[in-house]
Amino acid sequence: MAINVILNLVAAAVLLGVLYILQRRNASFSVRVFTGMGLGVALGAALQAIYGVGAAELATTNEYLDIVGSGYIKLLQMIIMPLIMVSIISAILKLKGLDSLGKISVLTIGTLMLTTLVAAGIGILMAKAFSLTAVGLTASAADVARGVYLEGKVGTAQAISLPNMLLSFIPANPFLDLTGARKTSTIAIVIFAVFIGVAASGIHDKKPDLFSSFDHFVKVAHAIVMRIVTLVLRLTPYGVFALMAGMVSTSSPTDILHLIDFVLASYSALLLMFVVHLLIVTGAGLNPLRFVKKILPVLTFAFTSRSSAGSIPMSVATQTQRLGTSEGIANFAASIGATIGQNGCAGIYPAMLAIMIAPTVGIDPFTFNFIAPLLAIITIGSVGVAGVGGGATFAALIVLSSMNLPVALAGLLISIEPLIDMGRTALNVSGSITAGTLTSRVMGETDMAVFNGDADLSIDSDSKAA
């Protein structure tokens, strides 16, 4: 190993040590997360300044940093399915009536779909405000290669239909879905857990002894799973540090400046949609500033990790421990929101791409005949994205191919894709939390004492022992 790489890793280890010292001194979880983010940015910028983008030393250093960053995400992915299973079953066993389950589903999914529609509208407005167009953009070799790849995926996107998508949600083999083998495995496990919970509730009166035994088993399983969640979440500052360092060190300032208008338009749209989320929270009778303060750590992780699914455990913990949302609603909103109605990936992004690409084939995108079907396709397609994976890429493919626009031009944004995706993922997670918060509030299940309190995530009570 080159001496330069060793020095890089020593510097990273020292910064990780700083985060460990903060933990030992009982610094709040939020402070440690933001400190990890700041230290990651500083290290990434320093490494890029010293070696330059594409340097071999930089690539090798990031491979080792990835053990911490991607390793943390894998640990989160490890606990997603068990967390969904036991939490939803436990919540259903506590429900007084199954009517509540239907209301929760309608409110949560309806909110996610409606906010995606609004997000698409905001994307269109920002594309207009910044005069975005793909006309005249020069494609690099990487852009061309990406365009060819996207064209090869069009068939898959066009083959998707809403009936087929809904069928894919049904867990024909729940044990396979517990492994996360399918792109709709998360939703399938939610459905499977609902069936188990409903079935168990059905024997409450007929076989009370068996129900009591099962209820006790679920409580034990839930306690163990939540303990695992606690242990993994303690690693968040370290994971955020490594992910941010890798991201900053490999981002090309030249590429970002080349497409700066799209970057600015995207983040303007993302920020406006965050404001919409706050308006929804305010309309539900909650303090928006307190809401922002409480969800910032999970949004920071979503921003750095670019993983909506990986954010599920932290999202659930944030909703239950900091926002006062009931556990069942928090799990349902976090898991469904990771695959359906993603405001950033399935709303803003495909809308802006369609507006940007339409002029290249002589279409005026700012007409009712173009915008009306675009909004309809985006809203429906935000459900379809879950079944094919690829997040924003497949959302764009579905929309562009449905609107008969050249999909290869989407490859022009490959150089800034990671930078845009960070903001999109944070917005996706904010959308799912907003849906859960609104649903819990409407259902009268929000613990206002928790929401109005200043409690941090309860993951550090025995940090010295850990």
Side-chain angles (χ1 to χ4, degrees):
M1 186 185 298
I3 185 65
N4 288 340
V5 174
I6 294 176
L7 292 175
N8 297 341
L9 295 178
V10 168
V14 170
L15 296 178
L16 288 171
V18 171
L19 294 175
Y20 180 71
I21 291 173
L22 289 176
Q23 178 179 337
R24 298 290 293 183
R25 292 181 177 178
N26 296 320
S28 72
F29 181 74
S30 300
V31 168
R32 299 204 319 267
V33 169
F34 284 112
T35 301
M37 183 179 182
L39 293 177
V41 169
L43 178 63
L47 291 176
Q48 184 179 123
I50 294 171
Y51 301 105
V53 177
E57 295 92 341
L58 192 58
T60 304
T61 300
N62 283 331
E63 286 181 1
Y64 284 94
L65 285 176
D66 205 41
I67 295 175
V68 178
S70 293
Y72 172 65
I73 292 179
K74 287 181 180 294
L75 288 175
L76 285 170
Q77 292 171 335
M78 171 189 75
I79 60 177
I80 288 173
M81 295 306 183
L83 175 63
I84 292 172
M85 275 283 292
V86 299
S87 296
I88 289 183
I89 292 173
S90 176
I92 291 176
L93 294 181
K94 296 175 183 177
L95 288 177
K96 296 180 179 179
L98 295 181
D99 289 343
S100 298
L101 184 60
K103 293 178 182 177
I104 290 171
S105 302
V106 171
L107 282 169
T108 303
I109 297 175
T111 301
L112 289 168
M113 299 289 285
L114 181 60
T115 52
T116 300
L117 175 63
V118 174
I122 289 177
I124 292 172
L125 289 176
M126 287 301 99
K128 173 69 172 177
F130 284 83
S131 301
L132 296 183
T133 178
V135 176
L137 286 181
T138 302
S140 67
D143 299 334
V144 173
R146 178 65 169 173
V148 172
Y149 168 80
L150 292 176
E151 286 184 323
K153 293 292 184 179
V154 172
T156 302
Q158 290 178 333
I160 297 172
S161 66
L162 185 58
N164 288 337
M165 181 55 50
L166 296 176
L167 279 175
S168 72
F169 294 162
I170 300 175
N173 185 347
F175 298 101
L176 176 67
D177 287 319
L178 281 170
T179 68
R182 301 189 303 137
K183 297 302 180 183
T184 51
S185 286
T186 302
I187 299 178
I189 289 304
V190 170
I191 294 174
F192 182 55
V194 168
F195 268 95
I196 293 177
V198 171
S201 298
I203 65 171
H204 180 275
D205 296 326
K206 299 177 181 178
K207 300 179 179 179
D209 292 340
L210 291 179
F211 176 83
S212 179
S213 297
F214 181 74
D215 186 44
H216 179 70
F217 166 76
V218 172
K219 289 178 179 177
V220 172
H222 184 264
I224 293 173
V225 169
M226 292 309 297
R227 179 58 183 168
I228 297 174
V229 170
T230 296
L231 294 174
V232 173
L233 287 184
R234 286 180 185 169
L235 303 175
T236 301
Y238 309 102
V240 167
F241 163 79
L243 291 166
M244 204 66 195
M247 179 63 64
V248 173
S249 66
T250 55
S251 297
S252 170
T254 302
D255 290 337
I256 294 173
L257 290 174
H258 179 64
L259 292 168
I260 189 64
D261 284 347
F262 188 84
V263 174
L264 292 176
S266 296
Y267 274 90
S268 296
L270 292 170
L271 289 173
L272 282 176
M273 196 58 208
F274 276 122
V275 172
V276 171
H277 291 168
L278 296 182
L279 291 175
I280 292 174
V281 170
T282 303
L286 300 173
N287 186 318
L289 295 180
R290 185 174 291 275
F291 177 81
V292 170
K293 179 182 177 181
K294 289 174 177 286
I295 69 172
L296 270 179
V298 65
L299 295 189
T300 300
F301 170 70
F303 184 83
T304 53
S305 68
R306 297 166 54 198
S307 174
S308 296
S311 302
I312 289 176
M314 194 171 176
S315 174
V316 172
T318 298
Q319 290 184 67
T320 55
Q321 296 179 23
R322 307 196 76 186
L323 298 177
T325 300
S326 66
E327 194 168 285
I329 293 175
N331 274 277
F332 188 81
S335 54
I336 293 295
T339 47
I340 287 179
Q342 296 188 340
N343 292 180
C345 290
I348 290 175
Y349 185 66
M352 294 182 70
L353 273 184
I355 296 297
M356 187 176 177
I357 292 174
T360 65
V361 290
I363 296 175
D364 179 2
F366 300 106
T367 63
F368 178 81
N369 290 337
F370 184 86
I371 291 178
L374 175 62
L375 292 175
I377 291 170
I378 287 175
T379 304
I380 297 173
S382 67
V383 178
V385 174
V388 296
T393 298
F394 272 94
L397 287 178
I398 291 171
V399 172
L400 295 178
S401 60
S402 299
M403 299 293 292
N404 294 316
L405 296 174
V407 298
L409 290 177
L412 293 169
L413 304 175
I414 182 176
S415 57
I416 59 169
E417 177 67 17
L419 178 62
I420 300 297
D421 195 42
M422 296 168 79
R424 289 193 311 238
T425 306
L427 183 65
N428 293 342
V429 174
S430 175
S432 66
I433 293 176
T434 300
T437 301
L438 177 64
T439 300
S440 182
R441 185 68 169 154
V442 172
M443 297 292 294
E445 297 188 22
T446 301
D447 188 334
M448 292 305 298
V450 173
F451 184 89
N452 292 322
D454 295 320
D456 204 1
L457 291 183
S458 57
I459 64 173
D460 299 313
S461 58
D462 57 347
S463 58
K464 293 182 180 180

